[in-house]
Amino acid sequence: MAAKKKTTTKTKTTAAKKKSDKKMTNNETAKKQVTKKTPSKTTDKKAEKQQPAEEAAKKAKEQRLAEEAAKKAEEKRLADEAAKKAEEKRLADEAAKKAEEKRLADEAAKKAEEKRLADEAAKKAEEKRLADEAAKKAEEKRLADEAAKKAEEKRLADEAAKKAEEKRLADQAAKKAEEKRLADEAAKKAEEKRLADEAAKKAEEKRLADEAAKKAEEKRLADEAAKKAEEKRLADEAAKKAEEKRLADEAAKKAEEKRLADEAAKKAEEKRLADEAAKKAEEKRLADEAAKKAEEKRLADEAAKKAEEKRLADEAAKRAIEIKRVIREIAEQEAKEAESTASQVQKQNNTSDAKPKPMAAILAGIAFVLLISLAVGASINNSKRFYIKQTNAGVEIWKGQFSPKNTQKVILLEGLHLPKMTQKIYSKQEVFPITFNYYLDMANTLIKEQGLPDFQPIIDLVGKASYFATTPEEKETISLYEKTIHEALTNIKSTRIVLPGQVQEQEAIPVSLEAAPEEQSVPVPATIEPSLEEKDAPVAVEQTHETENAPSAIEATPEKEPSEIHN
């Protein structure tokens, strides 16, 4: 901005100077005209005397104008700086106002939270007071022959009070931890807010301490009242004390036995949960290993695929070189024959112009055979290619036909959604596991439904999955499914259906499926992990089209014959 002001001042000064020079030039012209009209010696002397004075006046005027222009530029710069400072002050005031509004809002929210906590504490205190009064009235009504029941109720009440106290302390600790976290975050934003939060925290702690002291005092008074009532009851029923003691000892013994039994059951439950956690951890480890192996297999397949593509490209390059060499040799040979038999060729041309050259026909035949071989090779390669397309209805799988570019949709997996894929072309080993796991997941969903499952749809889905089993492990999985379903149908009342999976421990699911374990599915390749959302997978086959418009994903629904898909 200063540079701009400086440039403006310089421009104004230059303009004033030019104006002054122009005026001076006009004066000199006028003087010359006057001198020409009155050419006298006296006039010349006067002009010579006046010229220095006029030049001095002119210079003084130019200097004054320059000073005025500089003064105006300085005044403009000062005005701009004052305006800038005023704008900065306005922005600072707005920021301070917003900060103050935020602080007031935070304080209001904090006060509302404190009021809510106070209301809850008061409500809990009132509930405890009513419970203590009810316990006191029940204690006054008890009979001597119910000593065992009293002891048990007292023990349970103490445990409940202990748990309530532990929960209260845990809530207080959690609350303090949350307050500390909020205070730490506030300290990063502003020191003033941190001091305010610390003051609020101290006030909250003091309030909680006062509430705790008040509750302790109320509990002490209640305990004293209960103690006095108990002493009066013992004094009034001294004759029955021995019997009551015996009954109390028996009740305490039973209570202890029950407590020990509960602890044993609790330990057994903890052990069972620990075993389940270990089992799940092992299953996760095995699943991770399977995913890792699948990823390694995918990488190896990709490397093999790239190597095969490179080999084919090298072969095509070699064929092209060989074709060029043969054509060149034939052309050279033909040129030699043409030179040696020029006269004969001329005579043949004169007699029959329509007769073709023998070597040209051979050349055309060789080129035709080479083109046919290249087209057949491209068709074979295209027939081994698969494409995947993700649509709103699900995943479509396309397969190349025995032609250089045409493709045909072979299956639609409805409800299946795959992650974003980077490949455009897939092999059979990459595509078939998607359909295999799709149908097995649908079969597992039907098996795990509540109640007795309908086995026919399950058998159909397992049969469809078997069409796409390519590895020995997948074929073994299909055999386990078929064997288990056959056993379940043979003895439906006692058989448990086992979901075969590629894990060391197989999970058994009752036929009734009332206590079915977690869902289990056969791992899929790490590159493509399908997520099943719908059950049905109808078959759809569409007309062929060029590969350039083919999708970058594969879709499958076995309405097409399995043998055709495999081929």
Side-chain angles (χ1 to χ4, degrees), residues 5 44-45 128 145 148 165 172 175 210 212 233 237 254 273 320 336 364 376 384 464 475 489 510:
K5 291 178 181 178
D44 294 338
K45 290 179 180 180
K128 189 175 182 302
D145 56 358
E165 181 66 17
Q172 286 181 356
K175 183 178 179 182
D210 294 339
R233 184 183 62 77
E237 300 175 354
K254 291 179 180 179
L273 294 174
K336 289 179 182 179
V376 170
K384 296 178 180 179
K464 290 178 181 179
K475 292 176 181 178
L489 290 173

Side-chain angles (χ1 to χ4, degrees), residues 1 28 51 101 140 215 232 243 252 303 314 343 429 528:
M1 189 172 183
E28 288 178 355
Q51 188 173 1
E101 291 175 354
E140 291 174 353
K215 290 178 181 178
K232 184 175 181 298
E243 183 64 19
D314 294 340
S343 60
Q429 288 72 22
I528 308 172

Side-chain angles (χ1 to χ4, degrees), residues 319 323 327 363-379 404:
R319 288 178 185 176
I323 290 169
I327 292 172
L363 254 176
I366 292 172
F368 178 74
V369 171
L370 289 174
L371 289 173
I372 291 297
S373 62
L374 290 174
V376 170
S379 299

Side-chain angles (χ1 to χ4, degrees), residues 90-104:
R90 184 182 65 77
L91 295 174
D93 293 340
E94 288 181 356
K97 184 178 178 181
K98 290 180 180 178
E100 181 64 18
E101 291 175 354
K102 185 176 183 301
R103 185 183 65 77
L104 294 174

Side-chain angles (χ1 to χ4, degrees), residues 148-164:
K149 186 176 179 181
K150 290 178 183 178
E152 180 65 18
E153 290 177 352
K154 187 174 184 303
R155 186 181 67 79
L156 293 174
D158 292 339
E159 287 182 359
K162 184 178 179 182
K163 289 180 180 178

Side-chain angles (χ1 to χ4, degrees), residues 429-445:
Q429 288 72 22
E430 292 175 322
V431 170
F432 275 33
I434 301 175
T435 311
F436 177 81
N437 289 292
Y438 173 79
Y439 287 120
L440 281 192
D441 286 343
M442 292 177 66
N444 292 342
T445 303

Side-chain angles (χ1 to χ4, degrees), residues 84-276:
K84 184 178 179 182
K85 289 180 181 179
E87 179 65 16
E88 291 176 353
K89 185 175 182 301
R90 184 182 65 77
L91 295 174
D93 293 340
E94 288 181 356
K97 184 178 178 181
K98 290 180 180 178
E100 181 64 18
E101 291 175 354
K102 185 176 183 301
R103 185 183 65 77
L104 294 174
D106 292 340
E107 288 181 357
K110 187 175 180 183
K111 288 179 180 179
E113 180 66 14
E114 290 176 354
K115 184 176 183 301
R116 185 182 66 78
L117 294 173
D119 293 340
E120 289 181 356
K123 185 178 178 181
K124 289 180 180 178
E126 180 65 17
E127 291 175 354
K128 189 175 182 302
R129 184 182 64 77
L130 294 173
D132 292 339
E133 289 179 358
K136 183 178 178 182
K137 290 178 182 179
E139 181 66 24
E140 291 174 353
K141 291 180 180 180
R142 288 177 187 171
L143 299 173
D145 56 358
E146 294 177 351
K149 186 176 179 181
K150 290 178 183 178
E152 180 65 18
E153 290 177 352
K154 187 174 184 303
R155 186 181 67 79
L156 293 174
D158 292 339
E159 287 182 359
K162 184 178 179 182
K163 289 180 180 178
E165 181 66 17
E166 290 175 353
K167 185 177 183 299
R168 186 183 64 79
L169 293 173
D171 293 339
Q172 286 181 356
K175 183 178 179 182
K176 289 179 181 178
E178 180 65 15
E179 290 174 353
K180 185 176 183 302
R181 185 183 67 78
L182 294 173
D184 292 338
E185 290 179 356
K188 294 178 181 179
K189 294 180 181 178
E191 182 65 20
E192 294 178 356
K193 192 171 183 303
R194 184 184 65 78
L195 294 173
D197 291 340
E198 287 180 356
K201 182 180 176 183
K202 289 179 181 178
E204 180 65 12
E205 290 175 352
K206 184 176 182 302
R207 184 183 65 78
L208 294 173
D210 294 339
E211 288 180 0
K214 183 178 178 182
K215 290 178 181 178
E217 181 65 20
E218 291 175 355
K219 188 174 183 299
R220 186 182 63 78
L221 294 174
D223 292 340
E224 287 180 359
K227 185 177 179 182
K228 290 179 181 178
E230 182 67 16
E231 290 174 355
K232 184 175 181 298
R233 184 183 62 77
L234 293 173
D236 293 337
E237 300 175 354
K240 298 179 181 180
K241 188 180 289 185
E243 183 64 19
E244 289 176 357
K245 186 175 182 302
R246 184 182 66 78
L247 294 173
D249 291 339
E250 289 180 358
K253 184 178 179 181
K254 291 179 180 179
E256 182 65 18
E257 291 174 353
K258 185 176 183 299
R259 186 182 65 78
L260 293 173
D262 292 339
E263 288 181 356
K266 184 178 179 182
K267 289 179 179 179
E269 179 65 15
E270 290 175 353
K271 185 176 182 301
R272 185 184 67 79
L273 294 174
D275 293 339
E276 288 183 356

